[in-house]
């Protein structure tokens, strides 16, 4: 499974940005996909997750501002981010996992496949 993020960049506070993750390989074997983010010196934290049933989970900090979606053939995972704040500045990673049990929580060590990341920088 290969994951490639795109769509990162600079944005002003209050603005919107959409991240995309293009998939290839045996993505059909994955039961869920997710977005995580990380800033230097801090642990990677879960942003959003979507599973094969279409159920979604979000990090507490999202507060309804972000939306995760996955197209029907699992070729593109998307994260629509609105009302961005400077605290959203981070490297954002796309991830995928094959085991249903590991899709139960937004926990980065549980995910097997990772992209290289896309930087999002929110200025005040």
């Amino acid at each position: 499974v290969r994951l490639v993020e795109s769509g990162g960049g600079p944005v002003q506070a209050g603005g919107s940005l959409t991240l995309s993750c293009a998939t290839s390989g045996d993505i059909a074997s994955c039961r869920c996909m997710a977005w995580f983010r990380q800033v230097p010196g801090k642990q990677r934290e879960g942003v959003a997750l979507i599973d094969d049933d279409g159920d979604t989970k979000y990090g507490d900090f999202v507060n309804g501002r972000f939306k995760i979606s996955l197209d029907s053939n699992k070729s593109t995972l998307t994260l629509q981010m609105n009302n961005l704040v400077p605290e959203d500045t981070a490297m954002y990673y796309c991830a995928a996992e094959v085991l249903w049990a590991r899709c139960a929580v937004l926990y980065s060590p549980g995910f097997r496949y990772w992209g290289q990341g896309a930087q999002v920088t929110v200025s005040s």
Side-chain angles (χ1 to χ4, degrees):
V1 174
R2 184 166 181 253
L3 307 173
V4 180
E5 300 94 337
S6 63
V11 62
Q12 289 194 331
S16 299
L17 203 62
T18 299
L19 299 180
S20 297
C21 174
T23 71
S24 59
D26 191 20
I27 193 63
S29 67
C30 295
R31 303 279 71 83
C32 66
M33 296 189 69
W35 290 96
F36 292 85
R37 70 183 189 183
Q38 189 171 24
V39 297
K42 292 189 176 182
Q43 288 190 340
R44 195 167 292 188
E45 65 177 344
V47 178
L49 177 152
I50 186 166
D51 65 25
D52 273 358
D53 288 338
D55 293 332
T56 57
K57 298 180 177 63
Y58 293 91
D60 291 340
F61 61 87
V62 171
N63 289 323
R65 299 179 299 132
F66 299 173
K67 181 179 180 181
I68 188 171
S69 60
L70 180 64
D71 63 2
S72 59
N73 59 2
K74 294 186 180 178
S75 65
T76 305
L77 178 73
T78 300
L79 183 69
Q80 173 66 44
M81 302 185 291
N82 300 314
N83 196 21
L84 287 160
V85 297
E87 292 73 22
D88 293 318
T89 295
M91 185 72 78
Y92 283 70
Y93 297 91
C94 172
E97 173 54 37
V98 298
L99 299 177
W100 265 116
R102 294 184 178 181
C103 295
V105 292
L106 266 174
Y107 183 57
S108 60
F111 280 72
R112 183 174 306 188
Y113 302 109
W114 291 88
Q116 293 301 305
Q119 178 67 37
V120 173
T121 303
V122 185
S123 60
S124 58

